[in-house]
Amino acid sequence: MIIVHTIQEIRKYVREQRAKGHTIGFVPTMGYLHDGHLSLLRAAKAQCETVVMSIFVNPLQFGPNEDFERYPRDLERDAKMAEQAGCHIIFAPDVNEMYPRSKGSVLTRVEVDEVTVQLCGASRPGHFRGVATVVSKLFNIVQPDQAFFGMKDAQQVAVLQTMVDDLNIPVEIVPCPILREVDGLAMSSRNVFLSADERQQALVLHASLQMAERMVADGVRDVVQLKQAIREQIQTAPLADIDYVEILNFRDLSPIMTIDQPALLALAVRFGQTRLIDNIVLKIR
Amino acid sequence: MIIVHTIQEIRKYVREQRAKGHTIGFVPTMGYLHDGHLSLLRAAKAQCETVVMSIFVNPLQFGPNEDFERYPRDLERDAKMAEQAGCHIIFAPDVNEMYPRSKGSVLTRVEVDEVTVQLCGASRPGHFRGVATVVSKLFNIVQPDQAFFGMKDAQQVAVLQTMVDDLNIPVEIVPCPILREVDGLAMSSRNVFLSADERQQALVLHASLQMAERMVADGVRDVVQLKQAIREQIQTAPLADIDYVEILNFRDLSPIMTIDQPALLALAVRFGQTRLIDNIVLKIR
């Protein structure tokens, strides 16, 4: 496996792979890999001949009071894990390579409406503008056939699918399932920040998603009732500070009152300094 | 020469040309061609093996009170002219093909800052958002090596160059000189709207640009003085209604007080219902 840091190098590499007739699978990440990321690499490896991963902690998608500075970084560790999962090349640019105008700034932005209004789009103003802009750039740099994203960031997948559709970007977005620890906590690079107590209490997230799934299986259809039950369940954990609990149309993330088609139940909850997200798609049998 | 109307058809055509090892030159237009457009086709033909022209009157770049509905359209006439100038294929989609969500709307927009603040960006709010968004789409659909734009829309060239740089779009923007009628009027699809009187008085635009050029050659460097002289010259035409007369840094369209490096002198003037633009780059010998 190779690691490159410049746009010129990754473009040259991809051009060479293309010349061999290889298809390109792309896994954009912010690094500090966990099994969730590795599952994306394996999915890419299964479908494409060349697997490219980017590692870039994108300042544009962090708010001024968010955790850009303390976001965990360890390229050496990431490289070992990525290689074992079948990655062929890591593109790890620095901020200056991605935003040469001035550190972290850019004159051109990609804005996506409607699917960004709810959930993390509401809690983190500008977040999805930063995501859409950097992913546009990465797609233009790598020019992959397929790009693999985890469903833990379900809204991110919806935003990027909307962007790709609207701008006719010739890349297929491939959503991949959430990976969980054995006790049910969704894998996240931020889990490393949790104290032992927070880590234990964070299990309430997956438990509340499972409870909602059971309620729907038992015939509950009312969104207000479901959200109330989930909130109460989460609040049994004293360290949990709810950012949002939302149930939206899975297709376009529009508000719904009743579960009558696939719905996204998404939640964001703080434990101490650490904000965790999780979700499940509620379906009627 | 072929005419296609769908994204699928133009993509298939370009793919076939690529498979033959052809480079792709692209000329995006709103149609109703004049010699200016044809000069872009000839420039594309001189540099690329396959020449693609798009004809699409893009509703997204027209304001609510602008001339989207009455903008001149004549595909049959355009096709004959384009073929003679060496065009290989015209991509002429309808609004629904480009904006399938709902007529003329789109959830994803490309926004460019700073270079859009002055000139037409100030007079036509949202105009360059519409231009950047549709050109992003067209670039993603056609995936050309080079794209050719006339310098009459000098700010458009600056906006698209900024967009291409910032988003790492793998397309080279090739600016081409303004073409003029024998009497000096810059060629424009909108010239057809001018009455005989308006057409005659519109010559004041080129005359005022030439006057400014002479003043700079004679040693005038003060931007306020130059702008005042140009305004007075334009106002000798009773039908002229000035939208703007601006002199800006040619590189980044920032305001300047003195001509000490290449400067863009740009103007927009209404004659009756018709808004004309013209410009010249002022250089010190």
Side-chain angles (χ1 to χ4, degrees):
Chain A
M1 193 192 63
I2 316 168
I3 304 179
V4 298
H5 300 280
T6 67
I7 292 167
Q8 200 185 346
E9 288 167 299
I10 186 70
R11 279 194 163 144
K12 179 165 176 287
Y13 179 87
V14 169
R15 217 166 25 238
E16 288 164 3
Q17 303 304 305
R18 285 270 177 229
K20 292 188 221 164
H22 282 197
T23 54
I24 312 289
F26 181 40
V27 180
T29 79
M30 300 209 300
Y32 214 75
L33 304 183
H34 52 64
D35 284 347
H37 298 106
L38 302 184
S39 75
L40 302 178
L41 288 172
R42 288 188 200 103
K45 178 102 176 161
Q47 296 199 43
C48 301
E49 280 132 339
T50 297
V51 177
V52 178
M53 183 169 73
S54 64
I55 296 183
F56 179 59
V57 185
N58 173 37
L60 216 63
Q61 72 191 66
F62 287 80
N65 298 316
E66 292 183 357
D67 56 356
F68 173 68
E69 292 299 339
R70 74 171 197 136
Y71 197 89
R73 294 158 169 92
D74 190 339
L75 184 56
E76 207 174 315
R77 172 183 170 282
D78 288 347
K80 279 182 202 145
M81 293 171 74
E83 181 159 26
Q84 282 172 14
C87 181
H88 295 109
I89 186 165
I90 292 178
F91 173 50
D94 67 12
V95 169
N96 213 44
E97 181 72 8
M98 289 297 280
Y99 302 115
R101 282 188 198 282
S102 75
K103 223 184 166 185
S105 103
V106 72
L107 295 184
T108 307
R109 290 162 291 114
V110 180
E111 300 264 6
V112 182
D113 284 343
E114 292 190 18
V115 287
T116 56
V117 172
Q118 307 276 347
L119 311 178
C120 292
S123 307
R124 307 181 66 186
H127 171 65
F128 285 117
R129 179 194 305 142
V131 170
T133 301
V134 81
V135 172
S136 287
K137 287 169 67 72
L138 291 168
F139 281 2
N140 284 325
I141 292 166
V142 175
Q143 296 180 261
D145 298 282
Q146 297 182 306
F148 299 79
F149 294 89
M151 272 301 287
K152 186 163 77 73
D153 297 293
Q155 190 176 16
Q156 173 172 275
V157 171
V159 168
L160 296 176
Q161 187 62 60
T162 302
M163 175 182 88
V164 160
D165 290 347
D166 280 359
L167 297 184
N168 308 98
I169 298 174
V171 175
E172 185 195 347
I173 302 284
V174 184
C176 299
I178 297 177
L179 253 72
R180 298 182 179 281
E181 306 290 350
V182 282
D183 60 8
L185 183 68
M187 289 188 184
S188 165
S189 303
R190 289 183 172 102
N191 289 350
V192 69
F193 293 136
L194 297 168
S195 70
D197 273 1
E198 289 165 355
R199 174 72 183 72
Q200 184 55 38
Q201 293 194 20
L203 297 180
V204 76
L205 302 185
H206 186 229
S208 71
L209 297 179
Q210 288 182 309
M211 179 196 67
E213 198 171 34
R214 280 194 307 273
M215 287 175 73
V216 172
D218 290 347
V220 180
R221 295 285 177 270
D222 183 67
V223 162
V224 173
Q225 182 187 346
L226 283 162
K227 280 161 68 171
Q228 186 53 35
I230 297 159
R231 285 188 161 267
E232 283 168 13
Q233 165 94 346
I234 293 171
Q235 281 159 351
T236 61
L239 296 174
D241 175 15
I242 295 175
D243 180 354
Y244 63 72
V245 172
E246 280 296 349
I247 298 176
L248 301 169
N249 184 310
F250 179 55
R251 195 178 44 76
D252 61 6
L253 305 190
S254 61
I256 52 172
M257 295 303 291
T258 308
I259 312 284
D260 51 10
Q261 49 186 308
L264 179 71
L265 161 54
L267 37 85
V269 178
R270 278 197 182 72
F271 292 86
Q273 294 290 301
T274 308
R275 182 175 172 281
L276 301 179
I277 58 174
D278 203 346
N279 70 74
I280 196 172
V281 181
L282 298 172
K283 289 178 186 158
I284 305 167
R285 298 269 150 71
Chain B
M1 194 192 64
I2 315 167
I3 305 179
V4 298
H5 300 279
T6 67
I7 293 166
Q8 198 185 347
E9 288 168 299
I10 187 68
R11 281 194 162 143
K12 180 165 177 286
Y13 178 86
V14 170
R15 214 163 30 235
E16 288 164 1
Q17 301 305 304
R18 285 269 177 231
K20 291 187 221 163
H22 282 197
T23 54
I24 311 290
F26 180 42
V27 180
T29 79
M30 299 209 299
Y32 213 75
L33 304 184
H34 51 65
D35 283 347
H37 298 105
L38 303 183
S39 74
L40 302 178
L41 288 172
R42 287 188 200 102
K45 177 101 176 162
Q47 296 198 44
C48 301
E49 279 131 338
T50 296
V51 177
V52 178
M53 184 170 73
S54 64
I55 296 182
F56 179 60
V57 185
N58 173 34
L60 216 62
Q61 71 191 67
F62 287 80
N65 298 316
E66 292 183 356
D67 56 356
F68 173 69
E69 292 299 340
R70 74 170 198 138
Y71 197 89
R73 294 159 168 91
D74 189 340
L75 183 56
E76 208 174 313
R77 172 183 168 282
D78 288 347
K80 280 181 200 145
M81 294 171 74
E83 181 158 29
Q84 282 172 16
C87 181
H88 295 109
I89 186 165
I90 292 178
F91 172 50
D94 67 12
V95 169
N96 212 44
E97 181 72 6
M98 289 296 280
Y99 301 115
R101 282 190 197 281
S102 74
K103 223 185 166 184
S105 103
V106 69
L107 295 185
T108 308
R109 289 163 292 112
V110 180
E111 299 264 6
V112 182
D113 283 343
E114 291 191 18
V115 286
T116 56
V117 173
Q118 307 276 347
L119 309 179
C120 293
S123 306
R124 306 181 66 186
H127 171 64
F128 286 116
R129 179 194 304 141
V131 170
T133 302
V134 81
V135 173
S136 288
K137 287 169 66 72
L138 290 168
F139 282 1
N140 284 325
I141 292 166
V142 175
Q143 296 181 261
D145 298 282
Q146 296 182 305
F148 299 78
F149 294 89
M151 272 300 288
K152 186 163 76 73
D153 297 294
Q155 190 176 17
Q156 173 172 276
V157 172
V159 169
L160 295 176
Q161 187 62 61
T162 302
M163 175 182 89
V164 160
D165 290 346
D166 281 359
L167 297 184
N168 308 98
I169 298 175
V171 175
E172 184 193 348
I173 302 285
V174 184
C176 299
I178 297 177
L179 253 72
R180 298 182 179 282
E181 305 291 350
V182 281
D183 60 7
L185 183 68
M187 290 188 185
S188 166
S189 304
R190 289 183 171 103
N191 289 350
V192 69
F193 293 136
L194 297 169
S195 70
D197 273 0
E198 290 165 352
R199 174 71 182 74
Q200 184 55 37
Q201 294 194 19
L203 298 180
V204 77
L205 301 186
H206 186 228
S208 71
L209 298 179
Q210 288 183 310
M211 181 197 64
E213 199 171 35
R214 280 193 307 274
M215 287 175 73
V216 172
D218 291 347
V220 181
R221 295 286 178 270
D222 184 66
V223 162
V224 173
Q225 183 187 345
L226 283 163
K227 281 162 67 172
Q228 185 54 34
I230 297 159
R231 285 188 162 268
E232 283 169 12
Q233 166 94 346
I234 293 170
Q235 281 159 353
T236 62
L239 297 174
D241 176 15
I242 296 175
D243 181 352
Y244 63 73
V245 172
E246 281 295 349
I247 299 177
L248 302 170
N249 185 309
F250 179 55
R251 195 179 43 78
D252 62 6
L253 305 190
S254 61
I256 52 172
M257 295 304 290
T258 308
I259 312 285
D260 52 9
Q261 50 186 308
L264 179 72
L265 161 53
L267 36 85
V269 178
R270 277 197 183 72
F271 292 87
Q273 294 290 301
T274 309
R275 183 175 171 281
L276 301 179
I277 58 174
D278 204 346
N279 69 76
I280 195 170
V281 180
L282 299 172
K283 288 177 187 159
I284 305 167
R285 298 269 149 71

